[in-house]
Amino acid sequence: MSKKNLIVIGNGMVGHHFLEQFAASPAARDFEIRVFGEEKHLAYDRVHLSEYFTGSTHADLAMGTPDWYAESGIVLHLGEPVTGIDRDTRTVTTPEGSYTYDELVLATGSYPFVPPIEGREHPACFVYRTLEDLDAIRASAQGGETGVVVGGGLLGLEAANALKSLGLNAHVVEFAPRLMPVQLDDDGGAVLRQKIEELGVQVHTEKATTTIVEGEETRLRMNFSDDSHLDTDLIVFSAGIRPQDTLARQCGLDIGERGGIVVDNRCTTSDPHIHAIGECALWNGRIFGLVAPGYTMARTLAAALNNDEEAAFTGADMSTKLKLLGVDVGSIGDAHGQTPGARNIRYNDEQAGHYRRMVVSGDGKKLLGAIMVGDNHYYDTLLQYALNGIDLPDHAESLILPASQGGAPSLGPDALPDTASICSCHNVTKVDICGALDSGCTDLGGVKAETRASTGCGGCAALLKNVVDSELEKRGVEVNTDICEHFPYSRQELFHLVKVNGIRTFRGLIRQYGKGHGCDICKPAVGSILATCWNDHILATDHVPLQDTNDTFLANMQKNGTYSIVPRVPGGEITPDKLIVLGEVARDYNLYTKITGGQRVDLFGATLSQLPEIWEKLIAAGFETGHAYGKSLRTVKSCVGSTWCRYGVQDSVGMAIFLENRYKGLRSPHKIKMAVSGCTRECAEAQSKDIGVIATDKGWNLYVCGNGGMRPRHADLFATDLTDEELVRTIDRVLMFYVRTADRLQRTSVWMENLEGGLDYLKDVVLEDSLGIGAELEEHMEDIVGTYQCEWKTAVEDPEKRKRFREFVNAPEKTDPVQQWTTERNQRRPVAESS
Amino acid sequence: MKTRTRWDAVCEVSDLIPDSGIAVWTEDGPVALFYLPDRLPALFAISHTDPFSGSNVLARGITGDLNGEPVVASPLYKQHFSLRSGECLEDPSVQVPVYRVLLDGDRVRLEISVARSEVAA
Ligand code: SRM
Ligand SMILES: Cc1cc2nc3c(=O)[nH]c(=O)nc-3n(C[C@H](O)[C@H](O)[C@H](O)COP(=O)(O)OP(=O)(O)OC[C@H]3O[C@@H](n4cnc5c(N)ncnc54)[C@H](O)[C@@H]3O)c2cc1C
Ligand code: SF4
Ligand code: FES
């Protein structure tokens, strides 16, 4: 039997999600699948579109890969819009050709509404929906000073933030009397406005634009109906979206009065072979302008095409939680209290800029809706009360009062019914999570992989973790964070014990807080904590036995028991004289020599007894230890920078050297790598490092928590256009917070992913100082920087410490017989094992 | 072939490093000598050769105890060896030689078995 044809029009978020679901289902075998996308890009994450302005590329935002499409047998037609549908012959036409279908899926999304204002076609007027829109806005912002967003809704404020990040003075013009009229009430809108104005975005409400004309000093002038005007260099329209239903109209499908392709509960249109999902679809008279309902439609349709009788779309929750210009805003359910008999509980702290409102049912038992501005900590709990119809507690107002006033008893995961939706993006309920745990998942990562919970917008991460932890506990799985059998504490707890009680030795700590004699897990971990807290020499008598062999001998042990030597070469900059010394030492001791991936030189094959002599020579030539053996700063890679490179905008080499010298003495839970690039071309690969710095023409952009290695992760943009001082202060805080709170052998990437609240939380702590520990973190770093010593220098100068480097204490002349050598490519190397 | 044993002086007490190991050379090959001041007896000696890599490194591992058993962790691939029996905790089929230790004044002596190819007088 020949295969039938399935065609999807629109390669956006929902269309892609549909293909993922459908391709994995049995029915996929019966179809040839084709997808047409008007945009030239593969489907990308539009929700995070604005990140395109802060460093993300299409590749970061992309939702799939061309390989995935190919492997799934889906033919991709990108940059090829469908221009017509013929329902009689079941064909679609594009500028390239025509194609027949048996089933057709419309996933054409929506388009931005531009009010019919005279002058709106001016080339400095834009919309905010696609990567191309953003490219155009970015280009136009060059050389401009002011930007105006028309529309003070959710997207408009996001666009205003984007304009601000492009260095423009941003204004928002809103027709309604308040911001976010759909989600917020007057009081909430007022608090939001105040906060946003404090951030430097000017808000103009109750303004109707009548015409846009050429400006005098600026590119444009907007005239308003009240005879006032505003001068600007560019305008972004964000006045709402309209369903993209043109094709459906042309071929005569049922269309809603105000647009939208009418669909039934199975996402099928008035033609049984044509279906519509996502923002173009009108269900029950409603359009859903969020991604989660679109995903639900996609899943419903995939199931319906598999003849699943029960598949049905039954509406979706439109609650939203977001951070606009750094301000928390949340809106749940019937936020405006339109349910008959509904009553309100309000909390309004104008001083702090916190506003919260609960809409409760007439009998006071159920939560119908809520609004919050300024602090979204209350959101998760309120959402669960509203979605699951959980009875409100007595004194329901405690749910929105600040914690200090008696405190909101947060709804424990136990109180949630089995049907509670935990992740709305992927429609995962508490039952699904329990199911995953029962079928063998043993931790959060497993549950995520199995259910996909928390892999969409990420808003449910904290809740998911709570539910998983509590369910694991119920199953008797002790969520054990003890570091090992000798200490009933996590690394973080040990850190506190050491710091608070001023404990300076392992022996002191294990006597007081542990049992037994320690092991190779707790000893190095405590050694690292002691080093971070007190910064004594790691070979001091009390600390020697704690160190891994590499730390004990300040060098990396190789497979045959010899060691490698990696002197520090800050920023990769080295004088010819120093290079010559490296060469001489390597030649004299017959050391295999290799340039590392970290912009320095590694000398291999030194015996234990040779290490101190070799280091004596290196130190005399001005070298310092490179900590290649330690859980500490490795290298700060740098590019060429503005001194030589024609594109460089800052001195990346100078900054790299500065950072390397500043942090070289810091002991940490795992190794730390950094890089500094002199411009956006990023030759130093800073975005793959724990700390990445990229020069801008105004200063430095800071990226954090990247990782190469076994599980690569791009670093996240953390702060932009920092001055030198701001950069250093921010890195001080991030690193110190990491060093204090991470688990043993946890790189910054994994640490951050495991922080409850993730990147946002880290930003709060570091940039907003939400825990009030900023100054303390900086001081602690200052201490460590101030007490730096080159460990090798101290070691070679101290005869007691040098004694440690005898290969056989009773036979100084003896060479280790198992170290056998041969020559390869003109250098000495160990003989390969015979096995 | 017949063996006899003897007590060889291998180092002084001042060469020992508390809670850690040193390596000495004997007629039986390299031996790792550990000093754990919090235990009785406090001195342990096992072969210095890591059976998993064939390299002479065990004296450079981290010492400690697992379920009460004194151990050293190989610095290369981290297997634990009992300091009392030489048995590898992760793989009991692997065992490294153990030596008896004697403190003779300031000297540390090891009991070394010396293989003799010809019959001793
Ligand atoms: C020498 C070098 C390879 C080279 O010839 O280029 C190297 C050599 C070793 N790496 Fe590496 N890594 C070297 C660059 C890297 C890089 C690239 C970079 O830094 O730009 C990476 C990926 C980037 C990253 O770390 O995010 C890298 C990821 C690793 C990992 C995996 C870390 C992870 O998070 O997944 C390990 C294992 C570990 O640390 O647990 C590792 C461990 C090792 C060890 C220490 C293995 C060991 O324990 O013996 C190797 C020691 C060699 C020695 O004795 O000197 N090495 N290693 C590079 C030294 C750079 C330097 O100058 O310090
Ligand atoms: C800046 C921004 C921020 C947002 N933030 C959030 C948020 O925080 N939370 C949230 O839930 N939602 C958010 N959204 C909304 C979310 O992006 C949409 O709900 C989602 O993208 C809808 O998916 P879709 O597939 O229906 O439409 P789209 O993603 O728009 O995809 C439709 C695709 O179809 C293509 N197409 C149209 N006509 C044709 C044709 N004739 N032939 C071929 N291709 C065609 C279009 O070019 C487009 O690529 C945001 C949107 C924007 C723009
Ligand atoms: S990649 Fe592996 S083998 Fe190569 S240097 Fe790094 S750790 Fe060693
Ligand atoms: S709610 Fe979006 S990822 Fe879970």
Side-chain angles (χ1 to χ4, degrees), chain A residues 485-486 507 517-518 520 523-524 545 547-549 553 559-561 563 803-804 806-810 814 816, chain B residues 10 14-15 17-21 23-25 38-39 55-56 60 62-67 73 75-76 78 80:
Chain A
E485 67 176 62
H486 303 103
R507 212 169 262 250
H517 303 277
D520 55 316
K523 282 184 172 177
Q547 315 300 339
D548 256 317
T549 189
F553 300 106
K559 58 206 278 187
N560 64 359
Y563 289 86
K803 268 174 61 182
R804 195 78 179 68
R806 293 176 293 173
E807 185 128 32
F808 301 107
V809 298
N810 59 345
K814 185 90 199 159
D816 185 340
Chain B
V10 290
S14 61
D15 292 318
I17 300 189
D19 288 311
S20 189
V24 294
W25 187 261
D38 291 335
R39 298 191 80 98
S55 298
N56 291 320
R60 302 178 214 156
I62 295 183
T63 63
D65 63 342
L66 290 179
N67 291 319
L76 274 174
K78 315 293 174 187
H80 298 92

Side-chain angles (χ1 to χ4, degrees), chain A residues 9-15 36-39 46-47 49 80-82 107-110 128-129 155 158 244 247 277-279 289-292:
Chain A
I9 307 181
N11 189 225
M13 298 187 77
V14 174
F36 293 90
E38 181 171 22
E39 295 182 67
R46 214 178 292 289
V47 170
L49 184 68
E80 189 178 344
V82 171
T108 47
S110 49
Y128 199 83
R129 175 107 196 150
L155 284 183
E158 193 172 319
Q244 180 51 276
L247 288 171
I277 52 178
E279 285 187 346
L290 291 179
V291 69

Side-chain angles (χ1 to χ4, degrees), chain B residues 50-83:
Chain B
D50 171 16
F52 292 95
S53 60
S55 298
N56 291 320
V57 295
L58 288 186
R60 302 178 214 156
I62 295 183
T63 63
D65 63 342
L66 290 179
N67 291 319
E69 187 67 18
V71 293
V72 62
S74 161
L76 274 174
Y77 303 115
K78 315 293 174 187
Q79 295 89 352
H80 298 92
F81 297 92
S82 161
L83 296 180

Side-chain angles (χ1 to χ4, degrees), chain A residues 159-181:
Chain A
N161 190 37
L163 295 186
K164 210 174 143 245
S165 76
L166 290 173
L168 299 178
N169 298 320
H171 295 252
V172 172
V173 172
E174 167 62 48
F175 181 68
R178 62 166 184 269
L179 292 175
M180 292 187 63

Side-chain angles (χ1 to χ4, degrees), chain A residues 558 594 596-597 600 602 671 673 689 707-708 710 747:
Chain A
Q558 304 299 309
K594 180 178 185 304
T596 73
R600 46 189 188 174
D602 203 340
K671 58 191 177 193
K673 301 188 173 184
K689 303 297 182 203
N707 206 158
M710 296 170 255
R747 290 286 293 266

